[in-house]
Amino acid sequence: GFDPPHQSDTRTIYIANRFPQHGHYVPQKFADNRIISSKYTVWNFVPKNLFEQFRRVANFYFLIIFLVQLMIDTPTSPITSGLPLFFVITVTAIKQGYEDWLRHKADNEVNGAPVYVVRSGGLVKTRSKNIRVGDIVRVAKDETFPVDLVLLSSDRIDGSCHVTTASLDGETNLKTHVAVPETAVLQSVANLDKLVAVIECQQPEADLYRFVGRITVSQQTEEIVRPLGPESLLLRGARLKNTKEIFGVAVYTGMETKMALNYKSKSQKRSAVEKSMNSFLIIYLIILLFEAILSTILKYAWQAEEKWDEPWYNEKTEHERNSSKILRFISDFLAFLVLYNFIIPISLYVTVEMQKFLGSFFIGWDLDLYHEETNQRAQVNTSDLNEELGQVEYVFTDKTGTLTENEMQFRECSINGIKYQEVNGKLTPEGFTEDSPDGNRHSLMKEEELFLKAVCLCHTVQINADQTDGADGPWHANGIASPLEYYASSPDEKALVEAASRVGVVFTGTSGDSMEVKSLGKSERYKLLHVLEFDPNRRRMSVIVESPSGEKLLFTKGAESSILPRSKSGEIDKTRIHVDEFALKGLRTLCVAYRRFTPEEYQEIGKRLHEARTALQQREERLADVFNFIERDLELLGATGVEDKLQEKVQETIEALRLAGIKVWVLTGDKHETAVSVSLSCGHFHRTMNILELVQHKSDSTCAEQLRQLAKRIKEDHVIQHGLVVDGTSLSLALREHEKLFMEVCKNCSAVLCCRMAPLQKAKVVRLLKTSPEKPITLAIGDGANDVSMIQEAHVGIGIMGKEGRQAVRNSDYAIARFKFLSKLLFVHGHLYYIRIATLVQYFFYKNVCFITPQFLYQFFCLFSQQTLYDSVYLTLYNICFTSLPVLIYSLFEQHVHPHVLQSKPVLYRDISKNAHLGFKPFLYWTILGFFHAFVFFYGSYLLMGEDTSLLGNGQMFGNWTFGTLVFTVMVITVTMKMALETHFWTWINHFVTWGSIVFYFIFSLFYGGIIWPFLHTQDMYFVFVQLLSSGSAWFAIILIVVACLFLDVVKKVLYRHLQPTSTEKAQLTEAGSGINCLDSMCCFSDGETACTSVRRMLERLMGRCSPTRVNR
């Protein structure tokens, strides 16, 4: 996040903006409540966008060339480079403007949401963006808080309210917040309007769980000061639950809210392909400068001879004779630069932009990425990163809601050493079948009932307030219960209480200090005496209750490691075995125990508890001692197993990612045991893995020592795979001093799990890997606002459209509905996009080398007089019209391997990892190929035509334009055919543009040269083309040269395929063998039929059946 500039360390807020009347009070300036995620405004769009575009090497270079053409007398007109440049800049600007407009739209939706504010004695409806610091805001049930509020009052007398922060930190449980007693009584607008109070608090900071402040309430003559902590702060983005309405005062607004401070600022993400492209451009710039300097030097070397310096047919003017040598040299150099400048392909950028923009629609259209239950399809927010999906090396995933459904379900339990499962709303012991003689038991046994009562009493579950208002609560006249709606701070507790109520022991709510339980229809009241709260060190919680018969009972539940050692009776060994079995199935386990107190014991406990709770010094330690004293000599009742349901196909997806050579890290806010058990059940950790732990370190030295030991262990037994578990505190220690060592350990582990992570810690881990020496490509995937900073930090951020709000989706690059869609997104879309764009980029450089090298060679035959070989219309249209469409269509539709094969063989993903297709070798191959073809064009034409110029039947002569046109014609045909050779997947569109481009070139040339156009001041090309084509030998030359160029290429392809096939090529062969129809996957329909059937039949008639050889060519 960013730190807003502030003058002082605290801010003073006058509630309802009642500033003191006396003295010179200068109000502090606060930000308004607008959230801004967009990059441009209407005013700065043009300058900012132009600045960003001219930061690209090619655009800036073309601008310079354009200016040079305007300033000096150059061989080609300024339009040749001005027009393409203008076209490129406009198209890109429109695309980026449109994407930003979508962001504006999303922002306006948030900023314009209606809210109610207390102003001048009444409720006023206004927009979210108009809330000011100090306003009193009313929020109703199930609404999200529009700003960070300090709670003043709620509809409850004690001023408490329940909040879920799912969209902030991913926790779906309910949190209780309370108001200070002085304001809690002000429950109406009229009363609040009379409130005179001042809040002093710290300036905004990103930590979600910290808030320090105090409120001073003026009543009659005295001023009452109360402390404010995180329990009275309601965060923007959280949701009000189980409470009719609350009033709160706005303390942090807009971009200063904790939610906004946890966002990283959006930096422009750039893909690896774009970086390779820039380095290739620089190489080509060097080639260009070399050619220009060489030509200039050769020109002067040539002109040193008298007869060439000033031949009789081209005498110099006075002005030319007297101009300075240096100026002439510079202007010659610039002229050559302009002549050769097309070796840098300007239209490359615009083709890439269009390819990315149009290509991104395929992701949204893909039916395999569509989720029917929620009616959500994949969504693309940034189309600049499509090909990065094919380069991922690390996946960082959130756990709750991303790998799991975030829904707890009761699965089985162990009572008194017997395992039970829930079958049709009955608890049935294992091995029991419905029809066994004992199967129709309706009553519960004593132990079972006691166990279920323990589950129903030992918890912090609340009941939805709307349901308990009736006279006899949720029971209708006929005695049938309407299902109660429970709210809990932990989803596990909720699942257990719900399960108990289905089986027959129903918790019907608390009133005052008693808890009500209905066991098999008869109601019982337990008086709640004490609650011993859960804490992470004890890892258990307890309640002490008085039963209807007057007995004092303690019920405890917690992790088995904290309950079993304290139990003295009950089926301890059997239960331990059962707990291990549950954990192996990936269930979250809890043990339940109880203890009866004699009256004397209870008095002693009450006294000790009271002393500890009111102690001023060392309160925590004293309480811990008393809790330990109370929770001992327990009688074990049993254990429960609750499942956080995994999303479907998570295991297969993680396995596929691993096969593809991608390392998966799970980063979660969950506690250690839960995280490990889910990791095991989703296949992230294997049973055979050696799991190393780096947890609960408080000091730097112990952490470093542990790291060294882990590194040593990994070196010693490098045969087996290792998994690493780290928690948040140890992680921050490890990152502070021992980054290198930590990275060393992580890289040698095949799976890493980080638990108890704060949102910004997740981003730190991603940045750590992203900036490590290998610079791997990272992908982060998550569903809550706690994942936003990680999603923005990674190269590719993916949001899951889950239950936790839309924060993650809004800030991601891609959004999908389920984790399992990740494999199709990477292995199919990512793979194809990468192949397409890699070929696109290199082909562009190749066709421009083919284009300009003959121009360079031609200078040797025209005394370096900067005479151009091609007409300037051809120069302008070569990249825009004649050769642009085939490669664009290729880069949209190419599927070198069938999508089903790509998805079923994740190993193929390794073939393209580490930017393999855009490395130096393939680049060198394409460049050399370009030079080779250019030499063949030029010297082939020269050998066949150059010496004997009388090639026409009537003895007419050839001119230089005819020669240039011949070279150009051969070039257009060869370059287009080369693209056709690269294409594996033919659709009718490919056929149309490939052959259409060649036909268009011929028709255009006939029209351009066959008519005298009034608006052209010179027409060198008049009738040239028609004449050329009327010569038989010209046709012979064209066919011969094209075949000569492509023949070697075909031979090379065939040999390589047979002698050294890559795994991708092998996959193409198997696919051809399995006879997948080569037109099936033309459209993104899962069945492959539907929309294309008619087109396909027609095409098959045209092409014959597609034989395997043809698919595979």
Side-chain angles (χ1 to χ4, degrees):
F2 56 89
D3 295 320
H6 290 295
Q7 305 77 33
S8 63
D9 292 341
T10 60
R11 52 168 60 184
T12 309
I13 297 148
Y14 290 86
I15 291 185
N17 291 316
R18 287 202 188 82
F19 300 122
Q21 303 305 322
H22 51 275
H24 302 288
Y25 174 70
V26 182
Q28 280 174 296
K29 288 254 190 305
F30 300 122
D32 62 4
N33 196 32
R34 279 187 324 202
I35 288 281
I36 301 164
S37 66
S38 54
K39 227 164 62 173
Y40 306 109
T41 61
V42 177
W43 310 116
N44 72 10
F45 177 69
V46 175
K48 202 168 169 182
N49 190 274
L50 285 180
F51 171 70
E52 283 189 354
Q53 291 208 47
F54 284 121
R55 274 170 45 193
R56 287 184 158 169
V57 187
N59 293 354
F60 183 66
Y61 160 79
F62 267 84
L63 185 67
I64 301 281
I65 290 288
F66 179 59
L67 296 175
V68 167
Q69 282 178 306
L70 289 177
M71 290 184 303
I72 67 167
D73 171 32
T74 57
T76 55
S77 88
I79 296 175
T80 52
S81 59
L83 192 71
L85 179 68
F86 174 73
F87 178 63
V88 169
I89 297 290
T90 321
V91 171
T92 314
I94 290 170
K95 170 182 168 268
Q96 288 177 344
Y98 171 71
E99 284 182 352
D100 204 61
W101 174 74
L102 290 179
R103 277 188 217 116
H104 271 282
K105 223 170 78 172
D107 287 349
N108 291 342
E109 216 171 284
V110 175
N111 295 331
V115 290
Y116 289 95
V117 178
V118 179
R119 290 215 174 119
S120 53
L123 265 189
V124 183
K125 184 176 181 176
T126 176
R127 295 185 161 200
S128 164
K129 62 181 176 196
N130 301 331
I131 300 177
R132 302 190 305 262
V133 170
D135 277 341
I136 298 179
V137 182
R138 190 201 82 158
V139 181
K141 182 179 174 183
D142 285 335
E143 287 178 7
T144 47
F145 300 117
V147 285
D148 287 358
L149 300 165
V150 163
L151 179 61
L152 293 176
S153 67
S154 73
D155 63 334
R156 297 206 179 98
I157 297 140
D158 58 354
S160 68
C161 74
H162 297 292
V163 167
T164 160
T165 54
S167 79
L168 288 167
D169 53 12
E171 297 184 14
T172 45
N173 48 26
L174 286 192
K175 298 185 173 55
T176 308
H177 290 260
V178 288
V180 296
E182 281 71 28
T183 61
V185 293
L186 309 172
Q187 290 181 308
S188 70
V189 175
N191 291 345
L192 278 167
D193 206 45
K194 301 194 190 100
L195 170 70
V196 179
V198 182
I199 291 178
E200 289 164 273
C201 60
Q202 61 185 143
Q203 293 292 14
E205 59 161 15
D207 189 343
L208 292 174
Y209 310 108
R210 243 190 87 190
F211 177 67
V212 182
R214 60 178 181 198
I215 183 169
T216 313
V217 183
S218 312
Q219 291 183 339
Q220 287 94 27
T221 50
E222 55 170 347
E223 289 193 342
I224 300 166
V225 180
R226 293 273 180 184
L228 294 175
E231 72 287 339
S232 30
L233 185 72
L234 306 168
L235 300 179
R236 172 173 191 149
R239 202 173 271 270
L240 183 65
K241 288 277 189 196
N242 211 359
T243 313
K244 282 207 185 72
E245 60 171 22
I246 61 108
F247 290 98
V249 57
V251 285
Y252 304 132
T253 48
M255 300 307 279
E256 293 183 342
T257 53
K258 292 194 182 271
M259 181 173 104
L261 290 177
N262 263 290
Y263 287 172
K264 309 234 346 308
S265 55
K266 259 234 193 285
S267 61
Q268 192 58 39
K269 292 185 180 179
R270 290 170 65 203
S271 68
V273 170
E274 198 170 309
K275 291 171 193 153
S276 318
M277 236 155 72
N278 284 348
S279 47
F280 293 164
L281 276 175
I282 289 164
I283 295 174
Y284 270 69
L285 264 176
I286 294 166
I287 295 177
L288 171 75
L289 290 173
F290 170 73
E291 285 187 354
I293 292 170
L294 184 69
S295 303
T296 320
I297 293 171
L298 285 174
K299 175 175 182 163
Y300 281 91
W302 215 260
Q303 287 182 356
E305 271 186 65
E306 196 58 44
K307 62 173 182 179
W308 294 126
D309 185 27
E310 196 175 347
W312 54 270
Y313 53 83
N314 191 9
E315 291 196 356
K316 292 183 183 172
T317 58
E318 271 308 301
H319 176 67
E320 281 180 333
R321 286 207 178 102
N322 300 332
S323 60
S324 99
K325 274 265 174 84
I326 291 175
L327 271 178
R328 278 212 320 257
F329 186 87
I330 290 173
S331 85
D332 272 331
F333 170 68
L334 288 175
F336 279 120
L337 212 55
V338 169
L339 192 62
Y340 301 149
N341 82 62
F342 285 93
I343 195 167
I344 307 287
I346 175 134
S347 49
L348 170 61
Y349 275 115
V350 79
T351 312
V352 167
E353 290 285 344
M354 283 170 66
Q355 190 264 352
K356 287 180 172 177
F357 180 64
L358 296 170
S360 62
F361 287 113
F362 289 123
I363 293 182
W365 290 337
D366 189 343
L367 285 182
D368 291 342
L369 300 182
Y370 167 74
H371 191 238
E372 238 169 273
E373 290 127 61
T374 52
N375 185 23
Q376 284 165 331
R377 54 187 197 143
Q379 195 176 306
V380 180
N381 300 336
T382 324
S383 57
D384 288 345
L385 299 169
N386 296 339
E387 65 280 358
E388 287 287 83
L389 293 170
Q391 293 296 300
V392 177
E393 295 170 57
Y394 280 89
V395 168
F396 297 92
T397 163
D398 176 40
K399 181 188 76 67
T400 314
T402 306
L403 298 177
T404 65
E405 292 278 14
N406 208 357
E407 283 173 11
M408 302 293 168
Q409 284 178 332
F410 173 78
R411 280 283 169 249
E412 38 192 326
C413 59
S414 154
I415 305 175
N416 208 12
I418 303 169
K419 269 208 283 191
Y420 289 82
Q421 276 161 340
E422 186 190 344
V423 181
N424 306 333
K426 292 197 196 71
L427 266 193
T428 32
E430 211 179 29
F432 257 67
T433 52
E434 279 299 297
D435 46 29
S436 59
D438 216 15
N440 50 357
R441 318 176 307 156
H442 283 304
S443 62
L444 293 163
M445 280 149 61
K446 196 172 118 251
E447 295 93 359
E448 297 171 7
E449 194 176 352
L450 187 59
F451 173 81
L452 291 171
K453 277 184 189 162
V455 167
C456 277
L457 292 170
C458 179
H459 58 68
T460 55
V461 175
Q462 261 109 22
I463 286 186
N464 191 343
D466 310 344
Q467 291 184 314
T468 49
D469 298 347
D472 55 354
W475 299 84
H476 297 310
N478 57 5
I480 296 173
S482 69
L484 289 163
E485 197 182 336
Y486 293 115
Y487 283 110
S489 64
S490 105
D492 303 65
E493 288 190 339
K494 182 177 169 209
L496 290 174
V497 173
E498 282 175 347
S501 77
R502 285 196 302 270
V503 175
V505 179
V506 187
F507 166 63
T508 54
T510 51
S511 53
D513 60 355
S514 65
M515 302 173 86
E516 216 170 296
V517 173
K518 260 200 168 88
S519 172
L520 299 175
K522 63 178 199 295
S523 196
E524 297 182 358
R525 231 166 223 224
Y526 288 84
K527 190 168 171 209
L528 182 61
L529 303 169
H530 297 285
V531 177
L532 317 188
E533 296 84 2
F534 176 88
D535 72 55
N537 298 331
R538 269 174 48 244
R539 307 215 343 244
R540 57 183 181 268
M541 75 155 283
S542 305
V543 292
I544 301 178
V545 293
E546 187 179 333
S547 71
S549 60
E551 259 189 307
K552 309 275 196 299
L553 299 169
L554 165 87
F555 288 116
T556 305
K557 75 169 193 294
E560 80 277 9
S561 55
S562 63
I563 300 274
L564 295 177
R566 304 182 152 271
S567 310
K568 59 163 199 201
S569 58
E571 296 280 355
I572 299 176
D573 295 332
K574 280 188 187 167
T575 308
R576 180 173 283 129
I577 294 168
H578 289 171
V579 166
D580 290 345
E581 283 174 18
F582 294 165
L584 277 178
K585 293 179 186 167
L587 302 182
R588 302 157 73 114
T589 53
L590 288 171
C591 288
V592 183
Y594 83 117
R595 176 183 175 187
R596 288 192 168 86
F597 293 124
T598 60
E600 297 79 42
E601 281 177 324
Y602 179 70
Q603 268 179 333
E604 162 82 357
I605 282 166
K607 196 171 99 230
R608 284 201 182 194
L609 263 177
H610 184 71
E611 277 173 14
R613 286 212 159 121
T614 49
L616 287 176
Q617 265 85 35
Q618 297 174 328
R619 185 181 296 174
E620 274 91 10
E621 286 90 340
R622 288 188 176 200
L623 271 175
D625 290 344
V626 177
F627 287 175
N628 279 335
F629 172 72
I630 298 174
E631 299 166 325
R632 62 196 175 120
D633 302 338
L634 302 171
E635 203 168 315
L636 187 65
L637 287 169
T640 60
V642 173
E643 180 181 32
D644 183 359
K645 219 169 108 209
L646 282 182
Q647 287 188 15
E648 51 175 346
K649 298 214 171 144
V650 165
Q651 217 164 339
E652 292 90 327
T653 309
I654 289 184
E655 196 42 53
L657 291 173
R658 197 168 282 145
L659 281 175
I662 298 173
K663 291 198 169 175
V664 181
W665 287 38
V666 176
L667 312 179
T668 172
D670 258 9
K671 52 181 198 286
H672 178 178
E673 291 76 25
T674 315
V676 172
S677 83
V678 171
S679 261
L680 282 167
S681 63
C682 74
H684 176 235
F685 282 170
H686 284 310
R687 298 260 164 257
T688 54
M689 254 184 208
N690 178 19
I691 294 179
L692 312 169
E693 294 192 347
L694 179 67
V695 285
Q696 289 172 349
H697 288 287
K698 299 279 185 291
S699 75
D700 215 13
S701 49
T702 59
C703 181
E705 182 49 43
Q706 177 73 9
L707 267 173
R708 281 188 207 98
Q709 281 182 343
L710 292 181
K712 204 170 113 200
R713 274 184 62 185
I714 291 175
K715 279 204 183 68
E716 280 164 7
D717 40 357
H718 48 81
V719 186
I720 47 175
Q721 290 184 318
H722 298 276
L724 176 69
V725 184
V726 195
D727 65 359
T729 44
S730 317
L731 185 81
S732 46
L733 288 171
L735 296 187
R736 207 174 300 150
E737 302 284 315
H738 319 285
E739 219 171 87
K740 274 213 177 83
L741 190 59
F742 177 66
M743 283 306 298
E744 197 53 43
V745 172
C746 288
K747 283 204 181 108
N748 291 321
C749 292
S750 46
V752 180
L753 168 68
C754 307
C755 44
R756 284 270 173 242
M757 303 279 283
L760 282 171
Q761 265 184 322
K762 292 186 176 184
K764 268 196 183 131
V765 173
V766 176
R767 182 171 331 123
L768 178 72
L769 265 158
K770 198 169 114 177
T771 51
S772 65
E774 284 91 71
K775 298 238 180 319
I777 304 284
T778 56
L779 175 146
I781 177 168
D783 67 328
N786 56 329
D787 306 314
V788 167
S789 43
M790 149 173 107
I791 285 175
Q792 290 181 341
E793 180 63 56
H795 292 94
V796 184
I798 295 189
I800 293 234
M801 308 175 197
K803 301 191 172 61
E804 302 186 3
R806 310 290 289 173
Q807 237 63 55
V809 171
R810 215 178 277 138
N811 287 278
S812 62
D813 304 309
Y814 299 92
I816 50 181
R818 283 281 176 269
F819 183 77
K820 63 172 178 184
F821 294 154
L822 190 63
S823 62
K824 170 116 196 216
L825 196 63
L826 296 185
F827 303 153
V828 180
H829 290 285
H831 195 127
L832 295 175
Y833 281 130
Y834 176 72
I835 292 287
R836 290 164 186 171
I837 205 153
T839 312
L840 172 93
V841 170
Q842 316 209 47
Y843 174 76
F844 249 92
F845 284 114
Y846 152 81
K847 76 184 172 106
N848 282 50
V849 170
C850 286
F851 181 38
I852 282 306
T853 313
Q855 183 85 286
F856 172 63
L857 297 173
Y858 186 56
Q859 297 307 306
F860 287 90
F861 293 85
C862 70
L863 264 188
F864 296 95
S865 59
Q866 293 137 19
Q867 168 61 33
T868 154
L869 178 63
Y870 318 118
D871 184 72
S872 63
V873 171
Y874 283 168
L875 278 174
T876 314
L877 294 184
Y878 175 74
N879 271 329
I880 296 183
C881 293
F882 299 146
T883 57
S884 59
L885 275 176
V887 66
L888 177 66
I889 296 300
Y890 166 89
S891 66
L892 289 174
F893 294 128
E894 171 66 359
Q895 300 177 358
H896 61 305
V897 180
H898 194 283
H900 296 310
V901 178
L902 282 177
Q903 181 142 13
S904 57
K905 295 191 177 173
V907 184
L908 296 179
Y909 194 77
R910 295 181 185 225
D911 273 10
I912 57 167
S913 61
K914 303 250 192 298
N915 209 352
H917 286 238
L918 274 177
F920 191 63
K921 265 184 169 164
F923 172 67
L924 202 65
Y925 167 71
W926 280 93
T927 308
I928 290 171
L929 188 71
F931 278 115
F932 165 69
H933 282 185
F935 273 87
V936 177
F937 301 154
F938 186 80
Y939 285 111
S941 307
Y942 181 71
L943 286 173
L944 294 164
M945 301 272 169
E947 296 302 317
D948 178 10
T949 50
S950 59
L951 273 171
L952 300 176
N954 59 3
Q956 277 185 325
M957 303 284 277
F958 252 46
N960 64 328
W961 292 115
T962 319
F963 177 71
T965 309
L966 176 66
V967 174
F968 194 82
T969 309
V970 171
M971 177 168 63
V972 169
I973 296 173
T974 309
V975 165
T976 310
M977 294 292 292
K978 171 70 184 153
M979 187 76 261
L981 280 180
E982 290 300 310
T983 310
H984 291 90
F985 182 71
W986 285 88
T987 62
W988 63 270
I989 309 179
N990 290 73
H991 282 291
F992 179 71
V993 296
T994 306
W995 317 119
S997 288
I998 299 177
V999 173
F1000 171 74
Y1001 163 70
F1002 277 94
I1003 294 174
F1004 172 84
S1005 301
L1006 287 172
F1007 271 97
Y1008 171 60
I1011 301 170
I1012 294 184
W1013 297 100
F1015 52 82
L1016 292 173
H1017 54 90
T1018 64
Q1019 194 154 355
D1020 301 320
M1021 294 296 292
Y1022 181 59
F1023 234 70
V1024 167
F1025 198 70
V1026 184
Q1027 247 188 337
L1028 177 72
L1029 294 190
S1030 64
S1031 152
S1033 40
W1035 281 103
F1036 173 69
I1038 291 172
I1039 291 165
L1040 192 68
I1041 295 170
V1042 172
V1043 170
C1045 285
L1046 295 176
F1047 179 69
L1048 281 172
D1049 212 42
V1050 174
V1051 169
K1052 182 227 152 203
K1053 269 187 184 310
V1054 171
L1055 284 176
Y1056 262 79
R1057 263 181 178 279
H1058 280 280
L1059 301 174
Q1060 293 181 310
T1062 60
S1063 52
T1064 308
E1065 286 166 353
K1066 285 178 189 156
Q1068 289 168 341
L1069 285 166
T1070 56
E1071 157 200 338
S1074 68
I1076 293 173
N1077 193 322
C1078 65
L1079 288 163
D1080 265 356
S1081 43
M1082 198 173 101
C1083 310
C1084 298
F1085 288 94
S1086 0
D1087 310 325
E1089 279 279 45
T1090 54
C1092 318
T1093 318
S1094 57
V1095 184
R1096 206 180 74 205
R1097 294 218 181 87
M1098 182 185 85
L1099 271 172
E1100 282 165 4
R1101 278 194 217 108
L1102 287 175
M1103 295 166 47
R1105 278 297 284 148
C1106 28
S1107 56
T1109 48
R1110 172 127 8 120
V1111 175
N1112 184 44
R1113 201 212 56 264

